[in-house]
Amino acid sequence: MEGDALAGGAYNPFQHPLVFVLDDYLAGKPSADGGRQGAYANHSSVEESFVSNQEHQIALQVVQQRRKLPPVLNDKALFTRAATYGDRADQSYHAPSNRIGVHYSPASMAAAGMLFEEFPQDPQAPRTKAGTSPKALGEVCSSYSSNRPISPNHTGPLSPPAAAGRPVRPNHAQSRASTTTLMSQSASLHQQLMQQHAGDQLTQQQQHQGQPWQAGSPMAADEAAIVDALLRYHYYAEMGIDPRQVAPFREEWVGNALSMVPNEPPPNVSQAFFDDFISNSLDEVRSDYTKAMQKAIVDYVIASPLERQRLGLEGLEPLLVPRNLGRGPLGPSLGLSSHQRVVQRQLPKDWHEHVMLAREDIAWTLQTLSPNALELSRLWHECGYASARLLDVATVDLLERLPVKADWFRGYQQSATEQVKGQLWSHWLPKCLDVFRRLPPVPINGDTDAYFRAVATLQSNQLRGLVSNTLQDYLAFFRQHKAVHPLDPQQDQQLWSCLPVFEMDLTATIQGRVGFEPSVQDAQVAVLSVVEAAVYAALGLPKISPASISNSTLSAPPAVTNAAALASNPTVISGTALNENFVQNTVKELLAILEANQAAPLELAALFEPYLYLLQLNPELYAYSFAEGAGGKDAPDLTKFGAEIERLQQAAQAVRLLCTESVRTGLYLVQCRKFKDQLIAAAEAAVHDLLDVVCTAARESNLKVFDQYQVMTAEVGKPANSGEEVLALKKLISKCNIDNEKLKEEIAVNKSRDDFLLRFRFPVPDDDFDFARKAYEWPKRFSDVLREAGTKAASEHRQFEGALKARRREFDKRIEQYAAEVAAVEGRADIVKREVVASEVTELQAKLQAAVQEAEEINIQEKMFGWGTTKYGHVSSLLSTLEPYVTLWTTMNDFYNHYAAWMNGPFWKLNPEQVEAESSEAYRKLFKLTKTFGGGTTGEAKQQPLAVAEEGRAKITAFQGYIPLINAVCNQGLRERHWAAIAEVVGFEIKQDEVTSLKRLLDNEIMEHLERVTELSDSASREFSIEKALDKMSADWEGLAFELGTWKNTGTHILKGGPVEEAQMLLDDHVVKSQAMAASPFSKPFEERLVPWEKKLRTFQEMLEEWLTCQGKWLYLEPIFSADEIMKQIPREGTAFRTMDATWRRIMAQVHEQPLMMAVADIPELLDQLKECNRQLDVVEKGLNDFLETKKMAFPRFYFLSNDELLEILSEAKDPLAVQPFVKKCFEAVKELVFEQNGEISGMVSLEGEKITFVERVNPATTGAVESWLLEVEGAIKRTMHSITREALTAYPKTARTTWILQWPGQLVLNGSQVFWTREVTDAIQSGGSKGLSSYAHK
């Protein structure tokens, strides 16, 4: 680094050719106007010398000679591609910002450099691993090497990049400032270097102490090399990196920075200045970012000793210190004393060897330098996934809608999540796959699995970042909603700085409390559920594999939605789990925010609690119930009603003023209007109904008053048609005067009710006003009506008195005439004119009866007018005198008429019972009249009527002698055979026609054969009774049919009870009757009919008994043998049952087609089939009982169960849970067994709910038979109880009794207490006798 211009003096860093190159670059033009002399002092002097120096040509030659650019950074060597340049299609290309200081370190690059130098040029050739000793690795690195890149203190700012990432040339002033800064910086580095050598290199200090720093001396030479290296370093940092190779600046950083800057300028600052200041600051940020990234690339490159050697930067090695010892060469060095200040740690002897082996192993397995990873990162950022969010809490669509219902919020967030999830599946995954199709992967060391695991890790980090950013934004969205106290129901204060999120309506719950719709719990579920959905959305995405690359397809979304299953699935990209700390912390903080924001809504709801009773009121029922306690609905107490109405109105007004229509309570906006309206409406409805009670009472009272006045007016205005009516009208007029005064009082009450309604402004209907007006007008009108009615009543009274007097005179005349007619009747005795006489006496009797009634009416009117009553006793006496004559002549007339019909009409139409009854009744009446007319009671005989009675009685007596003959020949049971026998007896044929009469039979002297005819008639009667009984029995069975019902799902039928019970009752009755009739001597004519009928009834009775027996057994056994388990265990009985079942189904099918019972009784061999079925069922029952006995013997606790319960267990033997309902019967005090999901029995539960876990589990699946594993359960219970009892007894002395009682099951507590009580009592007796026992009692 020597030159003519530098000879003869100390080395000056400003003489370095790179200074001029940098000056040209920063100035944007050749340095043709300056000289070298100014460069010896500082940057300003260099500039002035270049302008003023007259030796421009000499300086130009020197500059041209010294201006030799250092070697460029290698963009071809494998291990410099971490800072890649040139072709982006290079498979090792990586964006520097994604590589340097993130995934690799210089130390690992050094080890990898040594290893990769041994790789053959042919990528397919076998690769050999380098030596594994630490020495081999150490040979690659310089003793000064460090995995910390050089980092100078300060670099001059460059202008921000313009279009396409190309730098913009600075102006001359900027170039001068930059050049000055660089030169000053180099001088400062020279001084730092001197201090560093003075502090850290003691040996060199001793050698060079006091010697000048000459260019030709060794110290000067080292210093010149370091300065040259530093200048080269800054050259590479400034010019060696094309800004296009730097990862693009993310504009989202600008957005993040601007979000922290106020939107408006500070006071006294203009908007233009503020905007220009912000713009310049952002330009400076972009420029600093580009320079920082360029410097980071250079730092990473020179960390490699190979690159330092090639670039001539070995001089920097003394400045490279370990990362844990201090800063880079441009900062203060810690020196040797710094090493002593480091905390010393004792490490194992082989620690270094293990570290080196691990480093080598990592170098062989670490997947680095993959352009696919860079493409995946670029894809993630360029496609917007880095800024995407699974939950939307920032877009205008949501913010403009706030506040929203919880369901809408949940649906909106789910839609946003599904949209991003769909993009991941439909866009991101195919694009990722396309990256590997365009850039075939080259795994390090051929380890494909490790390579794709690394790719999956990168994608996993991206997805986890997506979830993390989503949850952070989501949490930040809710963090801004601080819970504020106290509540501001009137919204007088500005407590909130952001919009509410959720909108809720106040409402009343079913339990009668104030609630919200949707509830705060709904909002909580909505907020937390979308978090879970967001986490799930980033799960289940398939990994990229060689198979998917070759097939160009990815696997479908997994059907499993369980997070644990997705996490353990090796084919999908691992993502964020719900149980991770930051997810759980997010959920907890969200829950805390929601709970904190619940206080204000609940406080608001509490304000309405005192008024909830309004909603519980049924206005109509409440009004009527209140009226019952306040005078009744017909007479309401206006004072009480007024107080209650005012109370309700005050409550409604309080609700109106309680809060605003909508109240902001932090996170929630509570809509109160509907609920307030509901409460107010309830109060107003109650008030309305109370007022309606008063209005109704007034209306009904007015109607009643109006109707009463109308009724009274109509009554007093009616004309009187009798004396009674006149007197009643006078009484009515008097009563109406009293009622009128009462009605006036009622009208006054109604007027007060009207005033009450007007006071509370109740809308009274127009009809009510009309009724009230009409009612209030009546009192004046009614006074005139009463006056007119009184005048008319007096006139009519006088008229009816005169009419009564005339009636009495006319009645006396008629009575005298009736007495003369009665006297004439006593002398009548002409039987021939019996019909005329009977008609006359009957008519006279009716007249006298009417006269008696009229006499009573006259007496009543006389009393009504206040007269003395006239005595009319002789009228009743005349009626009594006439009565025997009426009986005599009507009886005589009736008998003579009947006698002619009986003797001359067709004899076979006579009814013997009727003839005998009528003749006997006529005889009784005439016999009594003979006593009456014979003087038996008065002592005076009346000969003429007596003779008539005697003659009639004699004629009846003669006719009664023919009654036996009538009974004999008019018998309904007489048949042709009987008439033939009678004809043989009497000697002539008796025909039942219109000509043959009783008189003709008597004329043929049939009375001579009366006895024999009577015998034949009696025999016919007995036979007729048997015939009627048979007919009745047949009629009873007609239409009687079996009623069948479908039995469950068997496909067949069974007999229903109603018709069967009726048939059994008929059979019991008819069989007895049939047997009695068969034994009768009169049954011979019906023998052919009676015997088969009796046999049929007996057969059907037996058939029905067998049928019912068979049905009962079939119903019991059919469900048992429907179970396959039972059929397998008792196959012989199962086969027998199947045979019987087929017969049963066939019989029931026949009955279903023809259900009439008598038709079923005629089915051939039906009885035998039923008997055979019962025989087979007996065999099946015996086998089944033997089978059950075997099971009970195997597990004796089955004896506690009925056969039906045991069969229910055995029929479900494959399902151990079928035993649960019967466990408490098999094992006392055990309610149920505890079954695990795998079917094992792990414990038992008592009736009180205590659970005991078995010491060993029982697996019914391995045992098989139910009785076997129940025996194992029994054994497990015993062993468990022994074990727990032992543990409880052991723990008793070591634990406080109150604690011990709660730790162990109740039964064991009782038993254990008794054990220790017995032991302690025994010890007390043995040790102290009675005193010891007494002492123990007081313990």
Side-chain angles (χ1 to χ4, degrees), residues 688-719:
H688 180 276
D689 284 7
L690 287 174
L691 293 173
D692 188 66
V693 170
V694 177
C695 182
T696 302
R699 179 178 62 254
E700 292 179 353
S701 178
N702 286 327
L703 287 174
K704 181 179 178 182
V705 169
F706 182 81
D707 292 340
Q708 287 183 353
Y709 273 117
Q710 282 191 326
V711 170
M712 289 189 300
T713 301
E715 291 294 329
V716 298
K718 289 182 180 179

Tab-separated table of all heavy atoms in Angstrom, residues 688-719:
chain	number	residue	atom	x	y	z
A	688	HIS	N	-105.328	1.380	33.167
A	688	HIS	CA	-106.495	1.404	32.281
A	688	HIS	C	-107.548	0.418	32.755
A	688	HIS	O	-108.748	0.729	32.772
A	688	HIS	CB	-106.043	1.064	30.857
A	688	HIS	CG	-107.166	1.070	29.858
A	688	HIS	ND1	-107.984	-0.026	29.669
A	688	HIS	CD2	-107.625	2.035	29.005
A	688	HIS	CE1	-108.880	0.253	28.748
A	688	HIS	NE2	-108.681	1.499	28.323
A	689	ASP	N	-107.113	-0.791	33.144
A	689	ASP	CA	-108.091	-1.786	33.568
A	689	ASP	C	-108.726	-1.407	34.904
A	689	ASP	O	-109.910	-1.714	35.142
A	689	ASP	CB	-107.430	-3.156	33.667
A	689	ASP	CG	-107.212	-3.783	32.303
A	689	ASP	OD1	-107.460	-3.094	31.300
A	689	ASP	OD2	-106.799	-4.954	32.236
A	690	LEU	N	-107.947	-0.753	35.792
A	690	LEU	CA	-108.563	-0.274	37.034
A	690	LEU	C	-109.618	0.782	36.734
A	690	LEU	O	-110.726	0.760	37.294
A	690	LEU	CB	-107.475	0.295	37.956
A	690	LEU	CG	-106.542	-0.722	38.622
A	690	LEU	CD1	-105.437	-0.005	39.365
A	690	LEU	CD2	-107.316	-1.622	39.576
A	691	LEU	N	-109.266	1.716	35.857
A	691	LEU	CA	-110.251	2.724	35.469
A	691	LEU	C	-111.415	2.098	34.716
A	691	LEU	O	-112.560	2.564	34.833
A	691	LEU	CB	-109.579	3.799	34.611
A	691	LEU	CG	-108.550	4.684	35.329
A	691	LEU	CD1	-107.843	5.587	34.335
A	691	LEU	CD2	-109.235	5.519	36.409
A	692	ASP	N	-111.113	1.055	33.951
A	692	ASP	CA	-112.185	0.382	33.227
A	692	ASP	C	-113.155	-0.284	34.187
A	692	ASP	O	-114.349	-0.385	33.892
A	692	ASP	CB	-111.584	-0.637	32.268
A	692	ASP	CG	-112.634	-1.222	31.347
A	692	ASP	OD1	-113.185	-0.481	30.521
A	692	ASP	OD2	-112.924	-2.437	31.474
A	693	VAL	N	-112.640	-0.760	35.329
A	693	VAL	CA	-113.541	-1.323	36.345
A	693	VAL	C	-114.502	-0.253	36.836
A	693	VAL	O	-115.715	-0.488	36.966
A	693	VAL	CB	-112.708	-1.910	37.504
A	693	VAL	CG1	-113.622	-2.266	38.674
A	693	VAL	CG2	-111.940	-3.130	37.047
A	694	VAL	N	-113.946	0.938	37.087
A	694	VAL	CA	-114.813	2.043	37.537
A	694	VAL	C	-115.782	2.429	36.433
A	694	VAL	O	-116.987	2.633	36.676
A	694	VAL	CB	-113.949	3.247	37.950
A	694	VAL	CG1	-114.830	4.422	38.352
A	694	VAL	CG2	-113.021	2.864	39.095
A	695	CYS	N	-115.267	2.493	35.206
A	695	CYS	CA	-116.139	2.857	34.088
A	695	CYS	C	-117.222	1.805	33.872
A	695	CYS	O	-118.383	2.134	33.623
A	695	CYS	CB	-115.294	3.033	32.831
A	695	CYS	SG	-116.222	3.533	31.368
A	696	THR	N	-116.831	0.552	33.977
A	696	THR	CA	-117.808	-0.530	33.804
A	696	THR	C	-118.863	-0.484	34.893
A	696	THR	O	-120.062	-0.683	34.640
A	696	THR	CB	-117.085	-1.880	33.811
A	696	THR	OG1	-116.120	-1.897	32.766
A	696	THR	CG2	-118.063	-3.021	33.615
A	697	ALA	N	-118.394	-0.247	36.134
A	697	ALA	CA	-119.357	-0.146	37.237
A	697	ALA	C	-120.335	1.001	37.001
A	697	ALA	O	-121.550	0.860	37.227
A	697	ALA	CB	-118.618	0.044	38.554
A	698	ALA	N	-119.822	2.135	36.541
A	698	ALA	CA	-120.712	3.274	36.255
A	698	ALA	C	-121.663	2.940	35.113
A	698	ALA	O	-122.864	3.253	35.180
A	698	ALA	CB	-119.875	4.509	35.922
A	699	ARG	N	-121.120	2.323	34.053
A	699	ARG	CA	-121.988	2.000	32.913
A	699	ARG	C	-123.069	1.004	33.311
A	699	ARG	O	-124.256	1.189	32.985
A	699	ARG	CB	-121.136	1.432	31.781
A	699	ARG	CG	-121.975	1.034	30.555
A	699	ARG	CD	-121.120	0.526	29.413
A	699	ARG	NE	-120.375	-0.674	29.754
A	699	ARG	CZ	-119.059	-0.719	29.992
A	699	ARG	NH1	-118.348	0.391	29.941
A	699	ARG	NH2	-118.459	-1.854	30.299
A	700	GLU	N	-122.682	-0.059	33.999
A	700	GLU	CA	-123.677	-1.061	34.390
A	700	GLU	C	-124.685	-0.479	35.361
A	700	GLU	O	-125.882	-0.832	35.311
A	700	GLU	CB	-122.955	-2.271	35.007
A	700	GLU	CG	-122.121	-3.052	34.002
A	700	GLU	CD	-121.405	-4.227	34.637
A	700	GLU	OE1	-121.461	-4.324	35.884
A	700	GLU	OE2	-120.801	-5.026	33.900
A	701	SER	N	-124.201	0.383	36.251
A	701	SER	CA	-125.144	1.012	37.182
A	701	SER	C	-126.133	1.908	36.441
A	701	SER	O	-127.339	1.886	36.715
A	701	SER	CB	-124.370	1.806	38.228
A	701	SER	OG	-125.257	2.448	39.113
A	702	ASN	N	-125.645	2.681	35.482
A	702	ASN	CA	-126.541	3.528	34.695
A	702	ASN	C	-127.521	2.692	33.889
A	702	ASN	O	-128.703	3.049	33.765
A	702	ASN	CB	-125.730	4.428	33.773
A	702	ASN	CG	-125.046	5.559	34.520
A	702	ASN	OD1	-125.581	6.063	35.512
A	702	ASN	ND2	-123.869	5.959	34.059
A	703	LEU	N	-127.028	1.612	33.317
A	703	LEU	CA	-127.931	0.725	32.588
A	703	LEU	C	-128.989	0.132	33.503
A	703	LEU	O	-130.173	0.019	33.136
A	703	LEU	CB	-127.125	-0.394	31.925
A	703	LEU	CG	-126.294	-0.002	30.700
A	703	LEU	CD1	-125.431	-1.174	30.239
A	703	LEU	CD2	-127.221	0.425	29.561
A	704	LYS	N	-128.509	-0.258	34.683
A	704	LYS	CA	-129.465	-0.826	35.639
A	704	LYS	C	-130.510	0.207	36.036
A	704	LYS	O	-131.716	-0.091	36.109
A	704	LYS	CB	-128.689	-1.319	36.857
A	704	LYS	CG	-129.561	-1.967	37.917
A	704	LYS	CD	-128.702	-2.448	39.088
A	704	LYS	CE	-129.577	-3.056	40.169
A	704	LYS	NZ	-128.763	-3.491	41.341
A	705	VAL	N	-130.070	1.430	36.306
A	705	VAL	CA	-131.013	2.504	36.650
A	705	VAL	C	-131.971	2.755	35.503
A	705	VAL	O	-133.201	2.873	35.710
A	705	VAL	CB	-130.230	3.794	37.005
A	705	VAL	CG1	-131.175	4.992	37.096
A	705	VAL	CG2	-129.475	3.606	38.299
A	706	PHE	N	-131.416	2.834	34.309
A	706	PHE	CA	-132.256	3.078	33.143
A	706	PHE	C	-133.273	1.954	32.955
A	706	PHE	O	-134.461	2.212	32.710
A	706	PHE	CB	-131.358	3.194	31.908
A	706	PHE	CG	-132.086	3.497	30.645
A	706	PHE	CD1	-132.470	4.796	30.331
A	706	PHE	CD2	-132.410	2.473	29.743
A	706	PHE	CE1	-133.155	5.070	29.170
A	706	PHE	CE2	-133.094	2.747	28.585
A	706	PHE	CZ	-133.472	4.054	28.281
A	707	ASP	N	-132.817	0.711	33.085
A	707	ASP	CA	-133.738	-0.419	32.919
A	707	ASP	C	-134.793	-0.447	34.010
A	707	ASP	O	-135.980	-0.755	33.739
A	707	ASP	CB	-132.948	-1.733	32.936
A	707	ASP	CG	-132.056	-1.891	31.710
A	707	ASP	OD1	-132.318	-1.201	30.706
A	707	ASP	OD2	-131.087	-2.687	31.764
A	708	GLN	N	-134.396	-0.158	35.233
A	708	GLN	CA	-135.380	-0.172	36.317
A	708	GLN	C	-136.458	0.902	36.104
A	708	GLN	O	-137.649	0.655	36.338
A	708	GLN	CB	-134.678	0.041	37.656
A	708	GLN	CG	-133.888	-1.170	38.134
A	708	GLN	CD	-133.262	-0.947	39.496
A	708	GLN	OE1	-133.303	0.168	40.037
A	708	GLN	NE2	-132.674	-1.994	40.043
A	709	TYR	N	-136.020	2.061	35.675
A	709	TYR	CA	-137.018	3.090	35.399
A	709	TYR	C	-137.934	2.668	34.264
A	709	TYR	O	-139.156	2.909	34.314
A	709	TYR	CB	-136.329	4.411	35.050
A	709	TYR	CG	-136.003	5.261	36.262
A	709	TYR	CD1	-134.681	5.555	36.586
A	709	TYR	CD2	-137.017	5.769	37.065
A	709	TYR	CE1	-134.366	6.328	37.680
A	709	TYR	CE2	-136.713	6.557	38.170
A	709	TYR	CZ	-135.394	6.824	38.482
A	709	TYR	OH	-135.101	7.588	39.578
A	710	GLN	N	-137.379	2.063	33.260
A	710	GLN	CA	-138.230	1.614	32.149
A	710	GLN	C	-139.196	0.524	32.606
A	710	GLN	O	-140.384	0.521	32.232
A	710	GLN	CB	-137.347	1.096	31.014
A	710	GLN	CG	-136.711	2.178	30.161
A	710	GLN	CD	-136.071	1.623	28.916
A	710	GLN	OE1	-135.544	0.519	28.930
A	710	GLN	NE2	-136.137	2.387	27.832
A	711	VAL	N	-138.658	-0.433	33.396
A	711	VAL	CA	-139.536	-1.507	33.887
A	711	VAL	C	-140.644	-0.939	34.767
A	711	VAL	O	-141.827	-1.317	34.644
A	711	VAL	CB	-138.694	-2.552	34.649
A	711	VAL	CG1	-139.593	-3.550	35.375
A	711	VAL	CG2	-137.773	-3.279	33.693
A	712	MET	N	-140.270	-0.049	35.691
A	712	MET	CA	-141.299	0.525	36.571
A	712	MET	C	-142.324	1.313	35.762
A	712	MET	O	-143.535	1.260	36.050
A	712	MET	CB	-140.631	1.415	37.619
A	712	MET	CG	-139.855	0.640	38.665
A	712	MET	SD	-139.282	1.671	40.053
A	712	MET	CE	-138.244	2.858	39.220
A	713	THR	N	-141.890	2.050	34.770
A	713	THR	CA	-142.816	2.813	33.944
A	713	THR	C	-143.763	1.891	33.201
A	713	THR	O	-144.982	2.164	33.111
A	713	THR	CB	-142.032	3.670	32.940
A	713	THR	OG1	-141.161	4.556	33.646
A	713	THR	CG2	-142.965	4.479	32.069
A	714	ALA	N	-143.192	0.789	32.657
A	714	ALA	CA	-144.044	-0.158	31.941
A	714	ALA	C	-145.030	-0.837	32.872
A	714	ALA	O	-146.206	-1.057	32.507
A	714	ALA	CB	-143.162	-1.193	31.235
A	715	GLU	N	-144.593	-1.181	34.096
A	715	GLU	CA	-145.474	-1.886	35.026
A	715	GLU	C	-146.624	-0.996	35.508
A	715	GLU	O	-147.773	-1.416	35.546
A	715	GLU	CB	-144.668	-2.402	36.228
A	715	GLU	CG	-143.697	-3.523	35.888
A	715	GLU	CD	-144.422	-4.786	35.458
A	715	GLU	OE1	-145.548	-5.020	35.939
A	715	GLU	OE2	-143.867	-5.531	34.629
A	716	VAL	N	-146.276	0.199	35.889
A	716	VAL	CA	-147.349	1.054	36.405
A	716	VAL	C	-148.259	1.534	35.283
A	716	VAL	O	-149.371	2.012	35.539
A	716	VAL	CB	-146.759	2.269	37.155
A	716	VAL	CG1	-145.951	1.823	38.347
A	716	VAL	CG2	-145.922	3.142	36.224
A	717	GLY	N	-147.805	1.421	34.038
A	717	GLY	CA	-148.644	1.855	32.923
A	717	GLY	C	-149.532	0.767	32.372
A	717	GLY	O	-150.349	1.038	31.484
A	718	LYS	N	-149.418	-0.490	32.847
A	718	LYS	CA	-150.262	-1.571	32.341
A	718	LYS	C	-151.689	-1.416	32.832
A	718	LYS	O	-151.925	-1.060	33.990
A	718	LYS	CB	-149.714	-2.918	32.816
A	718	LYS	CG	-148.425	-3.329	32.152
A	718	LYS	CD	-147.986	-4.700	32.662
A	718	LYS	CE	-146.686	-5.144	32.006
A	718	LYS	NZ	-146.246	-6.463	32.509
A	719	PRO	N	-152.704	-1.711	31.969
A	719	PRO	CA	-154.107	-1.670	32.419
A	719	PRO	C	-154.426	-2.882	33.291
A	719	PRO	O	-153.903	-3.977	33.062
A	719	PRO	CB	-154.899	-1.695	31.110
A	719	PRO	CG	-153.989	-2.354	30.131
A	719	PRO	CD	-152.587	-1.980	30.527
